[in-house]
Amino acid sequence: MTERKVRVALIGAGSLANQVHYPALTSLADVEIVGLCDLDAGRLARTAERFGIRYTCRDYRQMLEETQPEAVYALMPPHVLFDVAMDILQRGHHLFIEKPPAVTTLQAEALAREAARQHLITGVGFQRRYHPLVRACWEEVTRKGPVHQAVACFYKSMPPQETHPYYRGAIDIARSDAIHVVDALRYYCGLSEVQAVSSEVRRLDCWYDVSFNSLVAFENGSIGILLANWRTGKRTLKFEFHSLGASAFVDADGVGEVFADNAAEPVIRATASEYVASEEMHVVQGFLAENRAFIDAVKTGRPVHNNLEDAVKTMQLVDRIYNSAINR
């Protein structure tokens, strides 16, 4: 790995970017942030001052022309992302975007095809793949053998709303947010091709879909169980991983434990913050590791596993969850 710095420009100065991506990138010694763009002048100025970014602009095209970055982070809502992301790729820049990669599977596939045509590195913000405690527990379980059963559970408490809670209805809950656990299920089951899906999707007391429960069979023999529901009592994000003789039970915001061979004491027991010796969200939740992996990929030319081509498969699995719903 060379010591050269990767020139990075960023589009979007929203709250999530300020919480996780900017702190992660500015902590990497081999990253030089050469430009920042946002339509909101106040948000642009505050973010630039906080992270010491000298060049700011409200027109991303002008920023790209004047700063000539090697990689671009386009951190913006999915329903306004496609044109900007496609433009970045067609200009020849490596690209990182947040989840979801697009509003539709077709859009994601179009972006992935353009990136492949241009031989560009891409990354999609599925940082649950990089969550330090979740990964450590998963890796410990796989020491006994491959995962044959995984459970991904994501609950939220969101009262019914007259206007759709996600960008006024520009995108549904499954593709915009629950996609986190759809993607994590794919990853921790080995990124095997999907063999079969059986699901049920419900609206409960809302006019839009809020509950998603699925059984996913993968070609490698692993079974994934997805439980996502936005009409519960509290936010919960948990995972289970099971191999022959080992099991992990992980709360992404709390405690993770791994048990083996029916022993009373766990092989691993730690909280998410204890495991990384930090309370910083970008460290604890995997954003730092995710950004590190993307920058390394830009430098080496070797793609990350959470690239656009793979993100298409996650979008396709969401499609199959809807299409296979037994109550539709």
Side-chain angles (χ1 to χ4, degrees):
M1 186 76 67
T2 64
E3 294 302 318
R4 71 174 180 86
K5 291 191 174 185
V6 175
R7 292 170 57 83
V8 173
L10 298 111
I11 304 171
S15 59
L16 179 64
N18 271 264
Q19 286 179 335
V20 295
H21 289 297
Y22 288 90
L25 288 170
T26 53
S27 73
L28 300 179
D30 55 348
V31 170
E32 179 185 3
I33 298 181
V34 298
L36 170 62
C37 177
D38 196 283
L39 292 175
D40 187 307
R43 194 164 59 184
L44 180 64
R46 288 191 298 271
T47 302
E49 180 180 5
R50 178 184 174 189
F51 295 101
I53 302 171
R54 295 181 179 180
Y55 181 99
T56 62
C57 187
R58 296 178 67 186
D59 184 336
Y60 80 88
R61 301 174 189 85
Q62 179 182 340
M63 178 183 70
L64 297 182
E65 291 169 1
E66 294 183 352
T67 63
Q68 290 299 307
E70 188 173 359
V72 179
Y73 277 61
L75 306 173
M76 56 184 60
H79 60 295
V80 296
L81 172 66
F82 180 81
D83 284 343
V84 176
M86 182 61 80
D87 195 19
I88 291 167
L89 293 172
Q90 291 181 339
R91 288 169 180 258
H93 303 287
H94 303 298
L95 174 67
F96 182 95
I97 58 177
E98 255 300 335
K99 65 83 197 168
V103 172
T104 68
T105 303
L106 176 62
Q107 286 184 351
E109 187 174 3
L111 292 174
R113 287 175 61 85
E114 183 61 25
R117 188 180 74 83
Q118 297 267 19
H119 304 288
L120 295 169
I121 296 294
T122 61
V124 179
F126 289 123
Q127 97 281 357
R128 310 300 178 188
R129 298 183 179 200
Y130 293 92
H131 189 291
L133 179 61
V134 175
R135 281 188 60 92
C137 292
W138 172 68
E139 288 169 356
E140 183 64 31
V141 165
T142 60
R143 288 163 60 88
K144 286 283 191 177
V147 169
H148 59 72
Q149 180 177 315
V151 181
C153 175
F154 199 5
Y155 295 151
K156 286 191 175 183
S157 180
M158 186 176 289
Q161 299 177 35
E162 286 298 322
T163 302
H164 195 280
Y166 286 73
Y167 308 108
R168 297 185 297 179
I171 187 169
D172 58 293
I173 289 173
R175 292 183 178 89
S176 182
D177 203 352
I179 195 171
H180 263 308
V181 282
V182 176
D183 181 79
L185 204 63
R186 286 190 57 244
Y187 181 73
Y188 291 113
C189 284
L191 292 178
S192 176
E193 295 299 319
V194 175
Q195 186 177 62
V197 180
S198 181
S199 63
E200 66 95 52
V201 177
R202 290 180 292 171
R203 297 187 171 187
L204 300 176
D205 58 346
C206 300
W207 62 267
Y208 45 86
D209 298 324
V210 293
S211 175
F212 312 88
N213 300 291
S214 296
L215 187 68
V216 183
F218 294 94
E219 289 186 358
N220 64 1
S222 182
I223 295 295
I225 301 163
L226 172 76
L227 305 172
N229 192 331
W230 263 229
R231 290 295 289 122
T232 65
K234 62 169 290 188
R235 183 188 184 280
T236 302
L237 177 59
K238 294 183 178 181
F239 298 95
E240 294 181 19
F241 309 122
H242 304 280
S243 65
L244 297 176
S247 294
F249 305 90
V250 193
D251 183 338
D253 302 305
V255 175
E257 294 182 314
V258 178
F259 294 88
D261 301 321
N262 211 30
E265 294 299 317
V267 179
I268 293 176
R269 190 184 193 282
T271 67
S273 58
E274 285 172 350
Y275 187 78
V276 293
S278 174
E279 297 290 340
E280 297 289 338
M281 179 179 175
H282 68 283
V283 180
V284 173
Q285 295 297 329
F287 292 94
L288 177 60
E290 177 185 60
N291 280 277
R292 177 71 269 169
F294 177 71
I295 296 300
D296 287 346
V298 170
K299 295 174 77 170
T300 63
R302 294 192 291 269
V304 290
H305 47 73
N306 55 311
N307 56 41
L308 269 169
E309 183 179 2
D310 186 74
V312 170
K313 296 182 180 182
T314 295
M315 293 287 284
Q316 289 172 338
L317 180 51
V318 176
D319 293 341
R320 291 185 68 169
I321 289 171
Y322 276 114
N323 294 338
S324 67
I326 58 176
N327 56 334
R328 290 198 164 191

